[in-house]
Amino acid sequence: MEHVPPPAEELALLDRELARLDARRMQLLTRRAWLLSVLQPPATPPAAPPGRPAPAAFTPSSPSAAPVPPHSAQNVLLTLGGLLLTIAAIAFTLVSWGQMGIGGRSAVLALVTVAALAAPAVLLRRGLSSTAESLGALALVLMVLDAYALHRVAAPDTDALGFASATSAVLAVLWAAYGLTLGKLRLPLPMAVVSMQFTPVLWSWAVGAQASVFAGALLLTAALDCAIAQRGRGVAVRRTAAVGGCLSGAAGLLVALALSVTAGTAAAAAPGALLLAGAAVALFGVWRAPKELAVAGGLGAGLAVVAGVGGVLRAGAAADWSVPVFLLCGLVLLTAVRAPLPRPAGRGVLWASGMVVAASVLSAAPAVGMTLVGPVSRLRTVWAGAPEGRARGALGLEGMDWSQLSTAPVILLVVAGLTGAAYRWWTWCVRTAGAVVSPGATWRGAAGASALVLGWAGLLVLPVSLDAPYAVAVAVQAVLVAALLAVTVGAVRLGAGSVASVALVCALVGAVSAGALSLAVEPATYLVFGALLVLFGAATVVTRADAASAARVTRLTQAVPACAAVVCAMVLAGALGASLEQATYRAAPLMLVVPTVTVLLGARLRGGPPALPVELTGAVAGVVAVAMAVPDGPFLALVLALCGVLAAGTAMRAERRPAAGYLAVVLFVVATWVRLSASDVSAPEAYTLPVTLPALVVGVLRRRRDPAASSWTAYGAGLSATLVPSLFAAWTDPSWVRPLLLGVAALVITLAGARLRLQALLLLGGAVLAMDALHELAPYVIQVVGALPRWLPPALAGLLLLVVGATYEHRLRDARRLKDALGRMR
């Protein structure tokens, strides 16, 4: 009979056997690695017999470190040798030159230079290319030192900058000829390109030329670099020329741009011509360049064209029209999509146009910001009237210089019109720009949203820019909100989610701006907020009632307008109280009209997307009403009781019953406490016990009928009605009788909760008992703490933290057990 061990014993046996196998496998792998390190592959495999293939050389899986390649060591040695010779030559020229006569100097330099120039040719014929490269580099340095020595000895009175310019040109020619003669040397030709960079710049500096000539010299250098980068010999030469062209061209364009910005009407043509020449050089340089470089070149060329043409046109226009001039040039640049340019370069030109348009829009952003934020500065003077009856006065901008921002509406509306046209005729735009870019459907949505935002911003700023009458500015903003809500509804029907979201956000921002602007005059406040209430309510109703687009209606497009309508109603209720010249607390019941309506709407919209947001916004109005009634106790109790009634009415609906029911109980209890406190009642138990006892009896009956009912449902409200007011009274009572009686009652309730396993009794009784004991012991604790040394409390706190940290896991398990024990209680 076969013995089968229990599953636990069999699992332990398997684990032990697997552990032994793993240990044995590690021993074998270690031995194998050592054997591989001992065995080395033979230097040359043995010759195979005729007719047989040669056996493959044994190659271990973990070969030892390979030796350093001989060519790498040779290059290092040659580089160090050439560097030391160069340092020695420089030291000889700068330090020991003056210790020799003119003949000796010339002989030494000539001999060393000729030897250094001739040696690479001999070495290349013998195949010593690395040595030839080192001596060639030394020869180039010696030629620079020869030029320095020639200037010090033969022409000391010659201008240094002019001599350096001529020297750089001569060296560039000599190095180019030397590199072409010895084609295998890689350094002379790139160094000839580098030397050529300094010739025009040093010449301009030497003759004291103007900044425009200096910029022209830089652009000429960039043009030569571009030609070399396209036709040069070797990758190193082309890369060196490309880097030099980028640096020289960028420097020349920056100098020309600075001249264009600061030039007057008559002097703007020369910088403009330089910028256009720089653009031509950039396009010529990137004609055959890689993709990224071609895009960057097209971007620089486009910006240069805008700066050049716009700088000339700006000089003849008014100062506040400079931005529209550049915007016009940037828009004309869009015609580059049909120009015979390489695709990457054309894309860069389009990016340049987009950057100009974006910069123009950003220049109008301050005007939009002041229009939106301006009414905030007038909130302290609500209904004080608009100064001078104009729009800028209502915004608090009457003392500001608006001349630089007067063209903001033109900029915004022009760009909005173009982006809107692109959205409308998107297919034609894609077909036209197909040779340069291929935008997707996402770009169309972005164009539509941009047109909407920019058009709204332009119309919003227009009355302020013209300093229209106050009534016109308010009416324009209200009409814009209505139009945006109409666009939102239409976009939802068409399924254009991005346009609908953007239109809704703009409508909300515009509503805030219009509402804040209307606070300057009392009638305008009622008209604007009343109109906004109707508009947002209508948008909610229309969107909800559109059955054809019900599948595309989002919760956002229904809930947000509904909540905005409730906020407008709150403002109207507050304004009504102010118009009646009532105290703030007396106007609180008026504010409760808003949550009353939202409760009724919530019952009507049951199950719809806006139901819960509307009720929550109405609850915020209830909180505002409570805050308004705080200064007066009786009104506060009244408002709390009315809020309790609203919560109880909401609890009649099954889906709101759990939260609203508890809230109603809390509000009623708090209202009772506030009423007792406002009536200067010193013994609240006389009023709370008659409520507590029947409530506890009802709780007992509820538990008998439904043993699974929670103790909080059965006893929580009844116990809180007496314990909490008594606790507040005990904390302000100088006598010891009330705290003693409250402590005894709380202790009894706590023990009863522990004995009967009732969570509400245990937690409420324990919390009240702890607070009561803290109140009674607080004076003695303060005395003890005052008598202790100052270092002892921090030391005890640190010791406690150390103990808790050391036993953290145990404390965590205790907390979990306590949580589980409380959770098992009813």
Side-chain angles (χ1 to χ4, degrees):
M1 182 175 179
E2 184 180 357
H3 171 67
V4 179
E9 183 179 351
E10 185 179 1
L11 180 61
L13 291 173
L14 291 176
D15 289 340
R16 287 194 294 270
E17 187 65 26
L18 289 173
R20 285 194 294 270
L21 290 176
D22 289 340
R24 181 58 179 165
R25 186 174 185 273
M26 289 301 300
Q27 293 176 359
L28 295 176
L29 289 175
T30 304
R31 182 64 178 173
R32 181 178 182 275
W34 181 81
L35 291 174
L36 290 177
S37 64
V38 171
L39 296 176
Q40 295 293 338
T44 58
R52 290 187 181 181
F58 173 73
T59 303
S61 59
S62 301
S64 58
V68 179
H71 290 292
S72 300
Q74 180 187 17
N75 292 335
V76 172
L77 293 176
L78 290 174
T79 303
L80 291 177
L83 181 62
L84 291 176
L85 287 176
T86 302
I87 294 174
I90 294 174
F92 171 78
T93 305
L94 298 179
V95 178
S96 302
W97 182 259
Q99 299 177 1
M100 300 178 63
I102 184 64
R105 302 171 191 172
S106 303
V108 169
L109 274 179
L111 180 63
V112 173
T113 304
V114 170
L117 289 173
V122 179
L123 293 173
L124 287 175
R125 283 197 298 269
R126 296 187 178 183
L128 301 176
S129 57
S130 299
T131 307
E133 288 286 351
S134 299
L135 290 180
L138 176 62
L140 299 182
V141 175
L142 288 175
M143 293 179 72
V144 176
L145 296 178
D146 288 339
Y148 170 75
L150 181 64
H151 177 261
R152 291 291 302 273
V153 175
D157 298 330
T158 307
D159 180 55
L161 291 175
F163 187 85
S165 175
T167 300
S168 64
V170 173
L171 288 178
V173 174
L174 293 177
W175 287 347
Y178 186 66
L180 293 175
T181 303
L182 301 179
K184 294 183 179 180
L185 290 182
R186 292 174 293 179
L187 192 59
L189 289 178
M191 292 304 298
V193 176
V194 173
S195 178
M196 183 266 296
Q197 308 295 314
F198 300 99
T199 302
V201 177
L202 292 176
W203 173 81
S204 302
W205 197 355
V207 299
Q210 298 179 354
S212 58
V213 178
F214 188 77
L218 289 171
L219 294 177
L220 177 61
T221 305
L224 294 175
D225 287 328
C226 292
I228 296 174
Q230 291 186 6
R231 303 292 183 182
R233 177 180 177 182
V235 177
V237 174
R238 291 196 294 270
R239 289 181 177 177
T240 304
V243 173
C246 292
L247 295 177
S248 301
L253 289 177
L254 288 177
V255 174
L257 179 62
L259 293 175
S260 177
V261 171
T262 59
T265 304
L274 288 174
L275 289 169
L276 293 178
V281 170
L283 291 178
F284 169 70
V286 302
W287 200 268
R288 298 180 181 178
K291 178 180 177 181
E292 293 78 9
L293 187 60
V295 172
L299 176 63
L303 294 177
V305 169
V306 172
V309 178
V312 175
L313 298 178
R314 175 199 59 84
D320 53 344
W321 283 89
S322 298
V323 176
V325 166
F326 285 107
L327 173 62
L328 178 61
C329 296
L331 294 176
V332 173
L333 201 63
L334 290 173
T335 57
V337 297
R338 308 303 295 176
L341 295 175
R343 183 180 178 90
R347 187 176 302 173
V349 174
L350 284 186
W351 277 109
S353 176
M355 290 180 62
V356 173
V357 174
S360 303
V361 172
L362 288 178
S363 69
V368 180
M370 287 189 293
T371 303
L372 293 175
V373 183
V376 178
S377 62
R378 310 284 302 177
L379 291 180
R380 294 184 180 180
T381 57
V382 175
W383 293 354
E388 301 178 1
R390 314 298 292 184
R392 295 181 189 174
L395 295 175
L397 306 176
E398 62 273 14
M400 297 186 61
D401 184 12
W402 197 265
S403 60
Q404 297 299 325
L405 302 175
S406 59
T407 57
V410 177
I411 297 171
L412 295 171
L413 293 176
V414 168
V415 179
L418 291 176
T419 51
Y423 178 80
R424 176 63 180 83
W425 293 286
W426 184 252
T427 305
W428 178 84
C429 292
V430 172
R431 186 170 59 252
T432 303
V436 179
V437 292
S438 301
T442 306
W443 285 94
R444 183 181 186 184
S450 301
L452 186 65
V453 174
L454 295 176
W456 165 71
L459 295 175
L460 184 73
V461 176
L462 185 59
V464 184
S465 177
L466 300 176
D467 199 15
Y470 170 75
V472 174
V474 174
V476 168
Q477 293 204 11
V479 171
L480 286 177
V481 174
L484 288 170
L485 290 176
V487 172
T488 302
V489 174
V492 168
R493 291 179 176 177
L494 296 175
S498 59
V499 176
S501 301
V502 171
L504 183 57
V505 172
C506 293
L508 293 175
V509 177
V512 173
S513 177
L517 186 62
S518 68
L519 294 177
V521 180
E522 182 176 359
T525 302
Y526 286 103
L527 289 174
V528 170
F529 280 99
L532 292 177
L533 174 61
V534 173
L535 290 173
F536 283 111
T540 305
V541 173
V542 171
T543 307
R544 178 179 172 83
D546 187 9
S549 62
R552 297 189 297 269
V553 174
T554 62
R555 297 177 64 90
L556 183 67
T557 54
Q558 284 190 9
V560 172
C563 295
V566 175
V567 173
C568 294
M570 291 170 57
V571 176
L572 289 174
L576 181 60
S579 298
L580 297 176
E581 298 182 355
Q582 297 290 330
T584 304
Y585 64 88
R586 291 185 179 275
L590 292 175
M591 186 63 66
L592 288 179
V593 175
V594 178
T596 303
V597 176
T598 57
V599 168
L600 298 175
L601 286 176
R604 177 67 179 83
L605 300 173
R606 180 178 301 179
L612 182 59
V614 165
E615 293 181 72
L616 292 177
T617 311
V620 173
V623 174
V624 173
V626 172
M628 293 171 62
V630 166
D632 189 82
F635 262 88
L636 178 59
L638 174 62
V639 172
L640 288 171
L642 293 175
C643 291
V645 172
L646 294 176
T650 305
M652 295 177 63
R653 294 156 51 195
E655 70 273 12
R656 302 284 187 260
R657 186 167 300 155
Y662 288 119
L663 181 60
V665 172
V666 171
L667 288 173
F668 283 133
V669 173
V670 174
T672 304
W673 298 340
V674 173
R675 179 69 258 186
L676 294 177
S677 176
S679 301
D680 296 329
V681 174
S682 59
E685 294 82 4
Y687 299 90
T688 58
L689 283 175
V691 177
T692 296
L693 294 176
L696 293 178
V697 171
V698 173
V700 171
L701 296 176
R702 170 70 183 277
R703 290 274 296 175
R704 286 182 179 179
R705 187 178 61 183
D706 183 13
S710 172
S711 60
W712 290 99
T713 304
Y715 309 117
L719 292 175
S720 301
T722 296
L723 289 179
V724 178
S726 298
L727 180 62
F728 279 103
W731 272 65
T732 59
D733 192 349
S735 177
W736 58 272
V737 178
R738 186 191 302 274
L740 177 61
L741 295 177
L742 179 61
V744 171
L747 178 61
V748 172
I749 293 172
T750 304
L751 295 176
R755 176 68 180 82
L756 300 175
R757 303 181 63 79
L758 297 177
Q759 190 180 102
L761 275 66
L762 180 63
L763 294 182
L764 282 175
V768 173
L769 180 60
M771 296 296 293
D772 187 63
L774 178 62
H775 172 263
E776 294 302 310
L777 296 176
Y780 304 102
V781 173
I782 293 174
Q783 292 178 6
V784 172
V785 173
L788 292 175
R790 293 182 178 272
W791 57 268
L792 189 57
L796 294 176
L799 181 62
L800 177 63
L801 291 176
L802 289 176
V803 173
V804 173
T807 61
Y808 175 75
E809 295 295 335
H810 185 63
R811 300 283 81 79
L812 189 60
R813 288 193 296 270
D814 292 343
R816 289 171 180 168
R817 284 196 294 269
L818 178 60
K819 177 185 176 182
D820 295 338
L822 290 175
R824 288 192 295 269
M825 292 183 178
R826 299 302 302 170

